[in-house]
């Protein structure tokens, strides 16, 4: 079998997605997600101008060799644009191999290690009462794990809280919007939020919280300690992770489990965090981390240190990445949890898929390959629209981590 052609489908059904379609001379095709929220066309250009011409005529079964060709062969390594482009190719090749062998991708990764993939979803509210209500509603839908975010009194707009009662969507069309931030108000407030959520929801529901890189290590240590009575499943991205050693300080002060890595694009972003056991869950994703091939190596390394996976799964990761993550999560031994922010109805129509949710777990389905299609005619009705993630400033105007 040979790769005959490859093209990109760039569409915006409620939000932007960049999808790679690789077609073989036997008529089998594979899909890969290449979406990098807010920088979509950079990945599209990297693929179209520099990667796709190199794929034509290659054997799509040689996934490892093609991965090395695109990674080592480029000479310039890493970075979110490069690694998202490689990931798209990698996903499409696994999809092709599964279809060619008539088996779901999880079987190519070792087979099922479990029956279903535990997922968590997002609850949020403009204040504690609304946030508690939202957690309870998601628990009633069957979720066993819920991430809770709330507006902070005195802070005009907070991460993870939508403006108008809509589900939270991490991108807005037009130029970046600005939100405000106060660490002091946030640190005093979050323990009250989780005190209320625990009282209302009991001890069994898994609760998670995303700090979104906004604290210094010592502030994050204080938060982790303050949240210990509420036994969170994890505290996410407590501090920026460019300096991996920053996590040592947090770790020395609290037993609240730590998850990080949704912005990582390389195993090397996580190497020290894992080998020093400074984190408990790795959030690097299949789309931004170089594909299934790269994440399998990272997950196997993490397993040695009892670090588990907890992959990013917001709506800016397309149904193709969601499917890849579910096959992956079903197969690997050190799976922890998978984020699940449901896509809109329109997104699901553009990407019909075999995966499903039932009673707190997701299932990739038994379709060969990844089990996701793209309705190209429908996608064409929703052309790309420039969109950005917001930026955040402190109350005095200083630009800070969003
Ligand atoms: O900010 O997906 O845990 N989830 C998150 C998301 C990310 C967006 C970035 O594109 O942190 O809301
Ligand atoms: Co996050």
């Amino acid at each position: 079998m040979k790769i005959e052609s490859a093209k990109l489908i760039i569409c915006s059904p409620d939000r932007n997605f960049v999808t790679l379609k690789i077609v073989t001379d036997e008529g089998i095709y594979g899909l890969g997600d290449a979406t990098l929220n807010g920088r979509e066309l950079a990945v599209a250009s990297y693929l179209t101008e520099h990667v796709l011409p190199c794929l034509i005529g290659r054997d799509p079964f040689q996934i490892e060799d093609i991965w090395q060709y695109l990674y080592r062969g480029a000479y310039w390594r890493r970075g979110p644009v490069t690694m998202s482009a490689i990931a798209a190719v990698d996903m499409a090749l696994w999809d092709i191999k599964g279809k060619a062998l008539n088996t779901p991708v999880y079987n190519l990764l070792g087979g099922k290690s479990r029956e279903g993939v535990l997922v968590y979803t997002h609850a949020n509210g403009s204040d504690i009462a609304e946030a508690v209500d939202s957690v309870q509603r998601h628990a009633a839908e069957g979720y066993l794990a819920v991430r809770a975010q709330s507006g902070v009194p005195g802070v005009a707009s907070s991460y993870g809280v939508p403006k108008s009662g809509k589900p939270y969507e991490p991108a807005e069309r037009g130029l970046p919007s600005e939100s405000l931030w106060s660490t002091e108000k946030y640190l005093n407030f979050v323990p009250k939020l989780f005190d209320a959520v625990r009282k209302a929801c009991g001890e069994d529901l898994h609760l998670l919280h995303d700090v979104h890189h906004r604290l210094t290590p010592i502030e994050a240590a204080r938060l982790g300690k303050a949240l210990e009575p509420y036994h969170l499943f994890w505290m996410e991205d407590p501090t920026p992770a460019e300096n991996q050693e920053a996590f040592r300080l947090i770790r020395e002060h609290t037993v609240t489990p730590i998850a990080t890595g949704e912005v990582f694009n390389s195993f090397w972003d996580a190497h020290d965090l894992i080998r020093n056991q400074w984190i408990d869950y790795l959030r690097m994703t299949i789309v931004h981390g170089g594909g299934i091939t790269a994440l399998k190596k990272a997950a196997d390394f993490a397993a040695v240190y009892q670090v588990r996976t907890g992959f990013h799964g917001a709506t800016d990761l397309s149904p193709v990445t969601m499917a890849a993550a579910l096959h992956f999560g079903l197969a690997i031994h050190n799976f922890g949890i998978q984020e699940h922010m449901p896509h809109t109805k329109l997104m699901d129509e553009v990407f019909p898929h075999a995966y499903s949710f039932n009673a707190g777990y997701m299932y990739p389905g038994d379709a060969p390959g990844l089990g996701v299609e793209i309705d190209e005619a429908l996608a064409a009705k929703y052309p790309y629209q420039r969109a950005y993630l917001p930026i955040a400033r402190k109350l005095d105007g200083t630009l800070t981590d969003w």
Side-chain angles (χ1 to χ4, degrees):
M1 192 161 31
K2 281 190 172 21
I3 297 173
E4 197 170 73
S5 65
K7 69 167 182 181
L8 291 180
I9 300 147
I10 303 174
C11 62
S12 195
D14 296 338
R15 68 162 354 281
N16 291 322
F17 292 115
V18 179
T19 309
L20 172 64
K21 182 173 185 178
I22 297 181
V23 183
T24 71
D25 58 354
E26 293 182 17
I28 294 174
Y29 65 87
L31 297 180
D33 180 20
T35 309
L36 182 61
N37 202 1
R39 295 293 185 269
E40 296 88 355
L41 298 187
V43 185
S45 163
Y46 189 101
L47 278 164
T48 309
E49 300 298 328
H50 307 295
V51 172
L52 302 189
C54 305
L55 297 178
I56 310 306
R58 288 183 185 278
D59 177 354
F61 267 40
Q62 290 177 5
I63 298 177
E64 178 71 26
D65 185 67
I66 290 175
W67 194 94
Q68 299 294 345
Y69 181 93
L70 296 176
Y71 182 78
R72 288 174 204 278
Y75 188 64
W76 312 107
R77 296 183 191 189
R78 302 171 54 178
V81 174
T82 297
M83 299 310 283
S84 300
I86 295 175
V89 174
D90 188 77
M91 272 183 249
L93 297 182
W94 283 98
D95 192 23
I96 287 171
K97 188 173 283 198
K99 286 173 179 166
L101 300 176
N102 195 28
T103 196
V105 165
Y106 65 76
N107 274 336
L108 306 177
L109 299 172
K112 289 186 191 182
S113 283
R114 53 192 57 75
E115 290 307 316
V117 177
L118 177 68
V119 294
Y120 73 92
T121 197
H122 291 194
N124 51 58
S126 60
D127 57 21
I128 290 182
E130 262 185 45
V132 168
D133 185 58
S134 177
V135 174
Q136 285 178 315
R137 270 186 286 116
H138 289 297
E141 287 165 14
Y143 285 99
L144 304 172
V146 180
R147 183 188 98 159
Q149 310 288 138
S150 166
V152 179
V155 179
S157 60
S158 302
Y159 164 78
V161 181
K163 283 186 189 119
S164 51
K166 291 194 212 140
Y168 158 68
E169 163 56 46
E172 286 172 38
R173 287 172 178 165
L175 295 177
S177 64
E178 301 204 3
S179 59
L180 285 176
W181 181 245
S182 162
T183 294
E184 295 76 12
K185 293 187 191 326
Y186 171 78
L187 278 177
N188 290 331
F189 172 76
V190 179
K192 293 178 196 152
L193 167 67
F194 280 94
D195 188 56
V197 174
R198 264 290 168 237
K199 279 192 181 124
C201 301
E203 297 294 318
D204 289 343
L205 187 68
H206 294 307
L207 295 175
L208 303 84
H209 181 69
D210 194 348
V211 180
H212 224 248
H213 326 266
R214 289 176 176 211
L215 299 176
T216 65
I218 198 68
E219 289 162 353
R222 172 182 150 192
L223 180 64
K225 239 174 143 165
L227 293 176
E228 280 172 13
Y230 315 112
H231 53 91
L232 265 56
F233 190 94
W234 77 36
M235 166 171 79
E236 176 178 334
D237 290 331
T239 200
E242 284 95 331
N243 172 20
Q244 295 179 46
E245 192 152 10
F247 283 68
R248 178 208 295 271
L249 189 144
I250 306 173
R251 199 60 152 175
E252 280 169 352
H253 288 91
T254 178
V255 295
T256 294
I258 299 170
T260 199
E262 67 183 42
V263 300
F264 294 177
N265 55 72
S266 163
F267 164 74
W268 298 103
D269 292 332
H271 180 231
D272 292 341
L273 291 170
I274 295 170
R275 72 188 173 94
N276 290 299
Q277 296 178 296
W278 290 331
I279 60 169
D280 301 280
Y281 297 93
L282 180 64
R283 282 183 55 68
M284 191 163 70
T285 55
I286 287 171
V287 56
H288 303 135
I292 291 171
T293 300
L295 268 292
K296 182 70 168 70
K297 291 171 191 189
D300 286 345
F301 180 83
V304 177
Y305 297 92
Q306 299 189 51
V307 173
R308 287 180 281 170
T309 62
F311 289 174
H312 189 203
T315 46
D316 47 303
L317 285 66
S318 93
V320 181
T321 290
M322 192 65 197
L326 294 174
H327 286 272
F328 195 93
L330 200 70
I332 63 162
H333 181 253
N334 59 321
F335 166 79
I337 199 166
Q338 169 65 45
E339 184 176 17
H340 175 227
M341 234 178 116
H343 289 105
T344 64
K345 189 166 164 282
L346 180 60
M347 294 173 194
D348 284 340
E349 280 166 13
V350 170
F351 295 94
H353 50 74
Y355 62 75
S356 58
F357 170 85
N358 183 36
Y361 294 88
M362 287 184 78
Y363 301 86
D366 292 326
L370 293 173
V372 183
E373 296 292 329
I374 184 164
D375 182 335
E376 293 187 49
L378 187 58
K381 291 188 184 161
Y382 302 94
Y384 167 81
Q385 296 192 30
R386 183 179 292 119
Y388 289 95
L389 291 166
I391 59 131
R393 293 185 188 276
K394 295 183 185 172
L395 298 183
D396 72 353
T398 308
L399 199 105
T400 189
D401 294 277
W402 168 65

